[in-house]
Amino acid sequence: MAVPTFVDRVTLHVAAGRGGHGVASVHREKFKPLGGPDGGNGGPGGSVILRVDPDVTTLVDYHHSPKRRAENGAGGAGGHKNGSHGADLVLSVPDGTVVSSQGEVIADLVGPGTELIVAEGGRGGLGNAALASAKRKAPGFALLGEQGEELEITLELKVVADVGLVGFPSAGKSSLIASMSRARPKIADYPFTTLVPNLGVVVAGETTYTVADVPGLIEGASEGRGLGHDFLRHIERCAAIVHVVDTASIEPGRNPVDDLDVIENELGRYGGLEDRPRLVALNKVDVPDGREIGEMVLDDLRERGLAVFPVSAASGEGVRELTFAMAEIVRAARAEREVAVATRIVLRPPSADGGTDFTVRSTGEGWRVRGTKPERWVRQTDFSNDEAVGYLADRLNRLGVEKKLVELGAEEGDAVLIGPEHDSVVFDFKPGIDAGAEILSRRGEDQRFDAERPAAARRRQIQEGLVDRAEGETRADVARRLAAAHAAEQAELAPRPATGPSSYEIGSADDPDWAESDPDAR
């Protein structure tokens, strides 16, 4: 099986790297109890970037390896250590590459250095150190890293040339490029010798420009006959079109005027080339019959308003005049065209999930919530951790999801689906309730960290007792005195033993009412 060397259309599957997970960690050091959260963040995943490289002229590398994946981000670690970033995957493409997905053009990459971030790496998850706040001092959870974007794209090369040569097979297009430039394409005396577009650099005076030929154009090429239907796209960017007409063809029924009409008909059916200036090169006038036929049709073609040049790629006759005529058209086109500068394009496809806000609609399955933030938060949540789930509920509530559901008539127990139909997370709707006088912590928070620890309370009492200590009394003496006073106080509150047959008496530790009124006795 032949291995292609020139490929101008490929389908590529790209996947960005996943973000690293954040970590839930608590600082541990001798003599430093409850050192606080120190979990680091996960690193973002690498992105897939297409970059125009002038040294690349074909997409053959992606024909052999159509699946490309960027590096994942590393997970965080304790001690406030963040995970490393995943390395970006930079794919070099030729100048003039058109990128499309699902039949829709995403970008047209023209100009050396132009970049397109076609798949963005996933965000890294936050560690518990980044999630800590005045209310949530020691989160026992961290956020997960997000998956990177993954999609299938089509790369289509449209050669960036200033002048395009068109004509029947064996009209002498490759020979003409070889005579006016240093390009050395394959040349032979049989049809369809040229199987790939050839590029040549031409210098005419102070103007330097590129010339490309389109191989295999015959009648019906726009419908798939011959090879021209595969390469017509390569003249879309050309400033001018040169018809190379064979004046010495030995095929019966062919003449230069009919050949010109056939090629023009195919260009018209392809579309988009009507506004390009046309030149006609009557090739092979070095052959006696070719010169005669060329002179016969010369006036007819000029009456159509075409600039006609009798040339011979073999002897070089008329080639210089043709190159300067092409250079004049190129100069005029460049003067009208804005200077292309290298750009960096970040792919931002239209949002199908409600954007940064959110949308709620009723479906047969339940209430479906779509939005960039809600869906991202769901992907970042570790559902095996109750505190993380509570944190998610708080975030959704602050965004207004719960309020919107209530306004639309959602009732407790209704199914709430967050995400697209093929990949959604289902919850049972349970709106927040008014806790009255009872103080409840927010979901995902622990009020135990707000309470003063017993050891800290004892140290504070001893420090206060040192103010009124007797002469010669040490800190240890103050501590023992306070401990004895506390023990005496507890002894007075101790319950008396039951004396009657009833097992519940006022003051009894078994009395439920008493136990509730004095929880320290339990």
Side-chain angles (χ1 to χ4, degrees):
M1 181 178 177
V3 179
T5 57
F6 180 85
V7 176
D8 60 354
R9 184 185 179 91
V10 295
T11 298
L12 193 61
H13 186 91
V14 294
R18 181 189 182 110
H21 298 328
V23 67
S25 173
V26 176
H27 181 70
R28 289 178 172 83
E29 188 175 344
K30 192 175 182 179
F31 303 123
K32 287 187 178 180
L34 295 179
D38 66 348
N41 304 330
S47 300
V48 180
I49 303 174
L50 302 180
R51 179 183 297 163
V52 174
D53 186 346
D55 294 330
V56 178
T57 58
T58 177
L59 300 171
V60 66
D61 289 343
Y62 309 119
H63 173 76
H64 298 304
S65 303
K67 294 184 178 181
R68 301 299 177 99
R69 180 178 292 275
E71 186 178 295
N72 294 333
H80 300 282
K81 296 178 182 177
N82 296 333
S84 60
H85 292 216
D88 292 335
L89 177 63
V90 179
L91 304 177
S92 299
V93 297
D95 194 1
T97 300
V98 178
V99 186
S100 58
S101 178
Q102 297 179 351
E104 189 172 328
V105 175
I106 297 174
D108 191 352
L109 304 180
V110 178
T114 299
E115 291 185 354
L116 167 66
I117 300 179
V118 70
E120 195 165 9
R123 300 187 184 195
L126 296 179
N128 66 340
L131 297 172
S133 64
K135 297 288 186 179
R136 184 182 293 105
K137 295 184 178 180
F141 66 99
L143 299 185
L144 304 179
E146 287 188 86
Q147 284 283 3
E149 295 178 341
E150 188 170 350
L151 72 159
E152 194 171 82
I153 59 174
T154 299
L155 303 182
E156 188 177 22
L157 174 60
K158 295 182 180 180
V159 170
V160 181
D162 297 299
V163 179
L165 305 183
V166 297
F168 271 76
S170 297
K173 299 185 294 298
S174 298
S175 300
L176 193 57
I177 284 184
S179 67
M180 64 176 62
S181 70
R182 293 187 177 182
R184 292 296 176 261
K186 180 181 179 181
I187 298 173
D189 60 352
Y190 55 86
F192 300 107
T193 305
T194 304
L195 299 178
V196 300
N198 294 309
L199 281 175
V201 179
V202 181
V203 179
E206 296 181 353
T207 305
T208 302
Y209 56 94
T210 56
V211 179
D213 73 331
V214 178
L217 269 182
I218 61 174
E219 186 173 7
S222 60
E223 299 175 354
R225 295 187 61 194
L227 299 176
H229 70 288
D230 289 329
F231 303 112
L232 275 169
R233 71 175 74 94
H234 295 297
I235 58 174
E236 288 184 14
R237 306 182 191 275
C238 295
I241 295 175
V242 177
H243 286 277
V244 181
V245 180
D246 186 359
T247 60
S249 174
I250 60 175
E251 294 184 28
R254 281 189 51 189
N255 64 78
V257 176
D258 289 344
D259 286 357
L260 179 65
D261 291 339
V262 169
I263 300 301
E264 274 293 341
N265 181 55
E266 295 305 319
L267 296 180
R269 298 179 70 176
Y270 183 76
L273 303 171
E274 295 80 8
D275 60 336
R276 312 299 162 84
R278 261 70 163 174
L279 301 177
V280 177
L282 297 175
N283 195 22
K284 302 182 183 179
V285 295
D286 57 301
V287 179
D289 291 342
R291 185 177 297 276
E292 277 186 35
I293 294 175
E295 291 175 352
M296 291 173 56
V297 301
L298 188 62
D299 294 336
D300 188 12
L301 295 176
R302 284 176 175 168
E303 287 178 1
R304 298 187 181 188
L306 297 171
V308 185
F309 299 86
V311 300
S312 169
S315 65
E317 179 184 346
V319 173
R320 179 178 173 81
E321 291 80 1
L322 177 62
T323 58
F324 275 86
M326 291 190 291
E328 185 176 350
I329 296 176
V330 171
R331 280 197 302 270
R334 288 176 179 175
E336 297 177 359
R337 188 172 56 210
E338 296 182 0
V339 178
V341 295
T343 56
R344 181 178 177 88
I345 306 169
V346 180
L347 177 59
R348 290 288 184 267
S351 177
D353 56 17
T356 54
D357 293 328
F358 64 92
T359 59
V360 180
R361 62 185 179 89
S362 178
T363 66
E365 299 175 332
W367 300 92
R368 185 170 297 279
V369 180
R370 298 298 311 276
T372 301
K373 286 184 177 179
E375 293 181 28
R376 184 173 73 239
W377 294 344
V378 166
R379 292 193 297 267
Q380 292 178 326
T381 300
D382 178 9
F383 286 96
S384 64
N385 187 306
D386 292 339
E387 193 177 350
V389 176
Y391 178 66
L392 170 64
D394 280 338
R395 299 178 90 179
L396 295 175
N397 187 38
R398 286 195 299 270
L399 188 63
V401 174
E402 188 173 295
K403 180 180 178 182
K404 187 68 173 179
L405 286 167
V406 172
E407 290 176 356
L408 295 176
E411 298 179 355
E412 185 173 352
D414 288 355
V416 177
L417 303 91
I418 301 180
E421 295 183 3
H422 65 279
D423 184 23
S424 57
V425 178
V426 184
F427 300 91
D428 291 332
F429 183 49
K430 188 174 182 180
I433 58 174
D434 187 1
E438 184 181 2
I439 301 177
L440 298 177
S441 63
R442 292 162 58 190
R443 286 166 290 197
E445 297 179 356
D446 192 340
Q447 283 193 344
R448 290 174 296 177
F449 291 102
D450 294 331
E452 189 176 31
R453 293 181 293 116
R458 286 195 299 271
R459 285 196 297 270
R460 180 174 52 79
Q461 291 173 358
I462 293 171
Q463 191 66 29
E464 293 174 354
L466 289 174
V467 178
D468 301 328
R469 63 179 173 176
E471 185 178 353
E473 192 175 25
T474 64
R475 181 184 181 88
D477 296 333
V478 173
R480 283 192 288 270
R481 173 165 53 81
L482 293 176
H486 180 70
E489 184 180 350
Q490 293 297 319
E492 292 181 2
L493 297 176
R496 296 184 180 87
T499 55
S502 173
S503 52
Y504 298 104
E505 291 186 2
I506 302 230
S508 170
D510 294 326
D511 186 345
D513 295 333
W514 185 90
E516 290 182 3
S517 63
D518 191 357
D520 290 336
R522 279 180 282 180

